[in-house]
Amino acid sequence: MVLSQPSHPHSRRRYQYLDKFLNRPGPSTDPDFVPGAPTISNLETSKVLVIGAGGLGCEILKNLAMSGFRDIHVIDMDTIDVSNLNRQFLFRKDDVGKSKAQVAAASVMKRCKTVKITHFNGKIQDKDEDFYMQFKIIICGLDSIEARRWINATLVSMVDMENPESLKPLVDGGTEGFKGQARVILPTLTSCIECQLDMHAPRAAVPLCTLATIPRQPEHCIEWAKIIAWEEHRKDIVLDTDDPEHITWLYEKSLSRAKDFDIPGVTYQLTQGVVKNIIPAIASTNAIIAAACCNEAFKIATSCNPYLTNYMMYTGDDSIYTYTFEHEQKPDCPVCGNLAKTITVNPNHTLQQFIESLGERPEAQLKKPTLRTESTSLYFQSPPSLEAQTRPNLLKKLRDLISDGEEIGVSDPAFTIDFKFKLVFQT
């Protein structure tokens, strides 16, 4: 259902507070801002996609409905778990096992009768460019860096300079405990998620020797159970982090090891969090970041005020603190730039070591890279025949495979683009 006219005056009573912004210009409104019915109609007919219907997504859906948006779409691949119920307020106990997107959409529409929310249960990677082209604004409430990078690259690749409608503003929100951020990205025009990737550095890995011999924290005991104990006792069984029996086994092993080293703090909940790499979610942080994201979407749709340029960070652990700044676009960004990103490497490292480093480098974070130069293939992850053919290169030193300053192309199955790196040898 696409609405072409502003809603009936009686149905606008819910939005009287918004009309104070929409029915009159302000000191910061865009010169093209037209107060009244045209702007209200533009808001109500703006088709918005929300990616993610979890803790952040529930807040975003509620806020959009209460902000006057009436044509909302939501996509999420997950189903509701009982652990979601303490903060994802659109869900109830009877909803456990059901699609998050479906239940969230129905819950909001039940409370806001004038809003239509279309839900999709699946991966964002399964949708093509035509799907994303239909939306005016896309809002991310994701907990995955990989998914953010994918949608970012997709939206950048969609831009056609001769078609202004192909540029889809991306409003991205993220939370981690008491910290969070909101950002507005105009693909190809402003700094994109890939430009800012080094701000989301992967967590440092714990050395295996620490796990095996001298654990000092409860997390070390849990990692030991996951990596070492499971391999020793249950190597024929694939670890399923969603299987309660598997988590219980890891918890019991972790607890036993923690007692041997007099380390307190191992709990079932912590075990589940470490094994699944879950960062505890704070409902108040989700609410603040979702409000910031929806505020930006409202400003983009109505031009009633300037939108964020372009990054807002929030922290609430010691006190309430926010800071806004403009993150600059990088010329060597592999997504929106046109130059190869320079990486300094040790020429005596093997290709295997370099590949492993690509997963750890903040500016790369590539887990299954395939590498090639302009003249030769260095290593292919697949198909098996090419992997076997290029496998001997893994043990060769970089200086024997490439020259100082040479550019290589890198692809990863998790992303739709190829990356270009210029490898500079350490002196």
Side-chain angles (χ1 to χ4, degrees):
M1 179 177 66
V2 177
L3 304 174
S4 59
Q5 296 295 329
S7 52
H8 190 276
H10 292 297
S11 66
R12 294 249 10 122
R13 291 176 182 173
R14 178 191 291 270
Y15 306 109
Q16 287 180 353
Y17 60 98
L18 290 176
D19 289 346
K20 294 180 179 179
F21 296 97
L22 302 180
N23 284 328
R24 61 187 182 187
S28 299
T29 51
D30 190 279
D32 297 330
F33 175 73
V34 179
T39 295
I40 294 174
S41 177
N42 195 41
L43 174 65
E44 293 180 342
T45 57
S46 292
K47 187 181 290 188
V48 180
L49 174 65
V50 177
I51 302 178
L56 199 55
C58 284
E59 291 279 357
I60 290 172
L61 288 170
K62 176 260 294 180
N63 290 348
L64 290 176
M66 297 301 294
S67 297
F69 290 93
R70 298 182 65 186
D71 192 1
I72 305 170
H73 297 238
V74 58
I75 182 170
D76 196 301
M77 63 178 289
D78 288 341
T79 55
I80 299 166
D81 184 78
V82 67
S83 63
N84 302 144
L85 303 181
N86 70 327
R87 63 193 180 281
Q88 298 175 21
F89 60 91
L90 297 179
F91 309 142
R92 299 294 180 266
K93 187 175 181 180
D94 292 340
D95 297 325
V96 171
K98 298 179 182 177
S99 161
K100 283 187 176 182
Q102 182 178 5
V103 174
S107 181
V108 173
M109 287 192 293
K110 181 179 178 181
R111 291 162 174 77
C112 300
K113 305 295 184 182
T114 60
V115 176
K116 179 185 178 183
I117 302 181
T118 304
H119 69 272
F120 303 93
N121 184 34
K123 297 181 178 180
I124 58 174
Q125 293 89 342
D126 293 338
K127 300 295 183 181
D128 57 19
E129 288 190 0
D130 290 339
F131 173 78
Y132 295 107
M133 193 66 74
Q134 65 182 304
F135 302 106
K136 181 172 182 177
I137 304 169
I138 296 174
I139 307 176
C140 284
L142 292 163
D143 58 2
S144 164
I145 292 294
E146 288 77 14
R148 281 190 178 94
R149 295 174 70 183
W150 187 91
I151 189 63
N152 173 72
T154 298
L155 296 182
V156 170
S157 68
M158 284 168 46
V159 175
D160 179 356
M161 293 302 179
E162 296 181 358
N163 177 17
E165 294 298 319
S166 66
L167 193 154
K168 307 298 178 182
L170 174 64
V171 181
D172 176 64
T175 65
E176 182 174 311
F178 285 103
K179 299 177 182 179
Q181 92 279 333
R183 47 189 167 182
V184 174
I185 294 167
L186 302 180
T188 71
L189 299 182
T190 66
S191 168
C192 74
I193 287 176
E194 202 73 26
C195 293
Q196 305 166 15
L197 187 61
D198 53 3
M199 299 181 68
H200 304 275
R203 297 181 180 182
V206 180
L208 199 60
C209 59
T210 298
L211 301 180
T213 58
I214 48 170
R216 296 184 295 273
Q217 301 174 12
E219 291 83 358
H220 294 169
C221 299
I222 298 169
E223 289 284 2
W224 171 85
K226 175 186 175 184
I227 298 173
I228 299 177
W230 186 275
E231 182 65 22
E232 289 180 355
H233 299 283
R234 310 186 72 173
K235 62 181 179 180
D236 295 330
I237 303 174
V238 178
L239 176 62
D240 183 355
T241 58
D242 292 318
D243 188 329
E245 188 275 327
H246 289 189
I247 298 296
T248 299
W249 189 90
L250 293 174
Y251 163 64
E252 292 171 350
K253 287 292 183 181
S254 304
L255 188 62
S256 175
R257 184 165 179 81
K259 289 179 179 178
D260 291 342
F261 287 88
D262 196 25
I263 300 173
V266 173
T267 64
Y268 181 89
Q269 185 176 13
L270 180 63
T271 302
Q272 189 178 40
V274 171
V275 170
K276 299 182 70 173
N277 196 24
I278 297 174
I279 300 168
I282 309 297
S284 58
T285 309
N286 285 339
I288 291 169
I289 297 303
C293 290
C294 293
N295 191 35
E296 297 309 318
F298 180 80
K299 291 187 288 186
I300 291 172
T302 64
S303 300
C304 67
N305 268 287
Y307 50 80
L308 177 68
T309 309
N310 52 16
Y311 196 105
M312 185 277 288
M313 55 179 291
Y314 161 84
T315 179
D317 44 6
D318 294 326
S319 60
I320 303 298
Y321 174 78
T322 64
Y323 179 68
T324 301
F325 64 95
E326 182 175 0
H327 197 288
E328 294 185 359
Q329 196 171 16
K330 294 183 177 179
D332 62 354
C333 172
V335 173
C336 68
N338 52 19
L339 300 177
K341 179 179 287 292
T342 299
I343 291 182
T344 302
V345 296
N346 186 332
N348 292 315
H349 279 180
T350 64
L351 182 63
Q352 177 70 56
Q353 290 175 304
F354 174 68
I355 289 176
E356 292 173 354
S357 75
L358 286 178
E360 301 169 357
R361 288 176 178 267
E363 71 273 28
Q365 301 185 39
L366 302 172
K367 297 180 180 178
K368 293 183 178 181
T370 288
L371 300 87
R372 59 194 176 278
T373 66
E374 187 174 340
S375 58
T376 186
S377 299
L378 297 176
Y379 180 70
F380 275 81
Q381 297 279 351
S382 61
S385 58
L386 285 178
E387 193 282 328
Q389 184 179 340
T390 56
R391 190 184 306 154
N393 287 339
L394 294 176
L395 300 179
K396 295 180 180 179
K397 294 181 179 181
L398 291 177
R399 58 180 168 82
D400 296 328
L401 294 170
I402 60 173
S403 58
D404 187 12
E406 187 171 0
E407 292 186 8
I408 65 170
V410 181
S411 59
D412 190 292
F415 306 104
T416 59
I417 62 167
D418 288 341
F419 299 82
K420 291 191 301 182
F421 296 110
K422 180 180 180 180
L423 302 190
V424 176
F425 291 166
Q426 291 176 344
T427 55

